[in-house]
Amino acid sequence: MRVLIAPDCFGGTLTAREAADAIATGWREAKPDDTVTERPLADGGPGFVDVLHAALGGDIRYITVTGPLGEPVEARWLSVHVDGQHVVYIESADACGLHLIPVELRAESCETATTRGLGELIAAAADDNDVIPDVITVGLGGSGTTDGGAGMLTALADAGISLTDISLVAASDVENPLLGPHGAARTFGPQKGASPEAVERLEAKLAAMDVLKPVSDVPGAGAAGGLGAALLSLGAAVKSGAGLVRELTGLDAALDDADVVITGEGSFDWQSLRGKLITAVAGGAAERGIPCVAIAGQVTVGRREMAAAGVGEAYSVSDHVGSVQKSIADARNSLIATAQHVARQWSR
């Protein structure tokens, strides 16, 4: 069989490259005669820059910016030519990702964590001494902030950088609006340490930001704690991060040569069905009439929902190895073992 391995990252345990390698290793051990192709992916969150750099080449530029807690952190952007344009790709999680906030500090920092560093990063890329970009694409996902992009907007204003001649793209990993039950605060705030009371205060702050009101209902406005809305207020176009990566990495050509595709991420849940990577991969597989199988750290999506998204079956790593703790403690070997099991189920 011709097997395409195309996962996202697995939370804070494995990058997309590491996950693809582990799944491929397990598959090859179980079915050595199969042809296995690895195509690690991202949907705008962590791994966005690395995946595009591997696919497109280009130059990585580094800069120190303000982290979500005000401390200096190293961030980067990818500078590359695509279709005759000079394009910059930025990963917002580099500057304000949840992984930059220690677990024990999240409850107290969830209302103050800032996106200022992202504004500094965009300003540096826009004022590149070598070449001013035609397009700046910001990957949204994995953020530790819910400031509605206030820090980013302030940093851009302080830098005095004009973006009027640069096309902005917000590559969103979700389709959520800014406010309401599916908005930035109420949906993602608890994941960032916010208590129910803190969630409501965050919701009120976002609702009070006048600059965001005209775009608050646009799908993707709630991405990355409201960064989507802030970029929209600057004139950005919203694109599916998963769809963008699918196009730029040549995923469709790889799907044309596959008999089965294996995708995955840390948690296959209801959010996975709202614009995340698994749905993009499954959609491409469905267009070609080939099965798509998901491997995830945890699986909470029902069979009906996953079937509607084009996923034929989903396997939980934590269930296979016996617990969430075991799957996290030895993430690579747990994923290898699960992939071996999946290979035996799906390979002819």
Side-chain angles (χ1 to χ4, degrees), residues 247-273:
E247 174 188 346
L248 294 174
T249 60
L251 178 63
D252 287 283
L255 286 167
D256 288 339
D257 292 329
D259 296 312
V260 62
V261 58
I262 311 300
T263 187
E265 62 181 348
S267 179
F268 186 26
D269 54 27
W270 69 269
Q271 293 179 36
S272 305
L273 307 178

Side-chain angles (χ1 to χ4, degrees), residues 98-111:
L98 186 61
H99 68 283
L100 298 172
I101 305 176
V103 173
E104 64 273 14
L105 298 181
R106 291 176 185 175
E108 64 183 77
S109 67
C110 65
E111 296 181 69

Side-chain angles (χ1 to χ4, degrees), residues 1 51 57 61-62 64 151 163 168 173 204 243 277 294 332:
M1 287 187 70
V51 165
R61 312 287 178 87
Y62 293 89
T64 299
L163 300 175
L168 285 176
D173 66 339
L277 185 133
R332 173 175 167 78

Side-chain angles (χ1 to χ4, degrees), residues 36-319:
V36 178
T37 300
E38 298 174 42
R39 190 60 59 93
L41 300 173
D43 57 14
F48 184 65
V49 166
D50 286 337
V51 165
L52 292 180
H53 186 217
L56 304 174
D59 298 319
I60 297 285
R61 312 287 178 87
Y62 293 89
I63 185 175
T64 299
V65 300
T66 303
L69 302 183
E71 79 294 0
V73 299
E74 186 178 70
R76 70 238 151 102
W77 71 85
L78 170 63
S79 177
V80 63
H81 282 84
V82 178
D83 296 332
Q85 290 188 307
H86 177 214
V87 184
V88 161
Y89 295 100
I90 287 172
E91 189 176 306
S92 63
D94 264 1
C96 55
L98 186 61
H99 68 283
L100 298 172
I101 305 176
V103 173
E104 64 273 14
L105 298 181
R106 291 176 185 175
E108 64 183 77
S109 67
C110 65
E111 296 181 69
T112 57
T114 179
T115 56
R116 181 176 183 86
L118 177 60
E120 295 167 352
L121 185 55
I122 294 172
D127 195 32
D128 192 326
N129 289 328
D130 293 335
V131 183
I132 304 300
D134 298 302
V135 182
I136 294 179
T137 298
V138 182
L140 302 178
S143 77
T145 56
T146 315
D147 73 345
M152 178 193 74
L153 295 172
T154 298
L156 287 171
D158 290 347
I161 298 296
S162 173
L163 300 175
T164 55
D165 295 327
I166 299 174
S167 296
L168 285 176
V169 175
S172 175
D173 66 339
V174 297
E175 300 171 345
N176 302 65
L178 179 66
L179 304 171
H182 299 297
R186 290 176 179 154
T187 299
F188 306 112
Q191 300 172 10
K192 303 173 186 182
S195 66
E197 295 77 17
V199 164
E200 294 311 310
R201 289 193 294 270
L202 288 168
E203 176 82 358
K205 287 181 181 178
L206 293 174
M209 293 180 66
D210 289 339
V211 69
L212 304 186
K213 289 179 180 178
V215 297
S216 63
D217 292 332
V218 177
L227 269 173
L231 288 167
L232 281 164
S233 75
L234 294 174
V238 176
K239 292 187 177 180
S240 162
L244 186 66
V245 170
R246 173 180 169 178
E247 174 188 346
L248 294 174
T249 60
L251 178 63
D252 287 283
L255 286 167
D256 288 339
D257 292 329
D259 296 312
V260 62
V261 58
I262 311 300
T263 187
E265 62 181 348
S267 179
F268 186 26
D269 54 27
W270 69 269
Q271 293 179 36
S272 305
L273 307 178
R274 297 179 65 92
K276 284 188 171 280
L277 185 133
I278 284 181
T279 56
V281 176
E287 290 167 6
R288 291 158 177 80
I290 62 174
C292 177
V293 179
I295 301 176
Q298 298 181 72
V299 176
T300 57
V301 174
R303 287 187 174 275
R304 181 178 299 178
E305 290 84 356
M306 73 173 68
V311 178
E313 186 62 83
Y315 295 84
S316 165
V317 177
S318 58
D319 286 351

Side-chain angles (χ1 to χ4, degrees), residues 5-34:
I5 310 294
D8 198 349
C9 64
F10 274 58
T13 59
L14 297 170
T15 66
R17 285 187 183 185
E18 291 168 342
D21 179 70
I23 295 170
T25 297
W27 196 286
R28 291 186 179 112
E29 289 176 356
K31 295 291 179 176
D33 293 334
D34 287 349

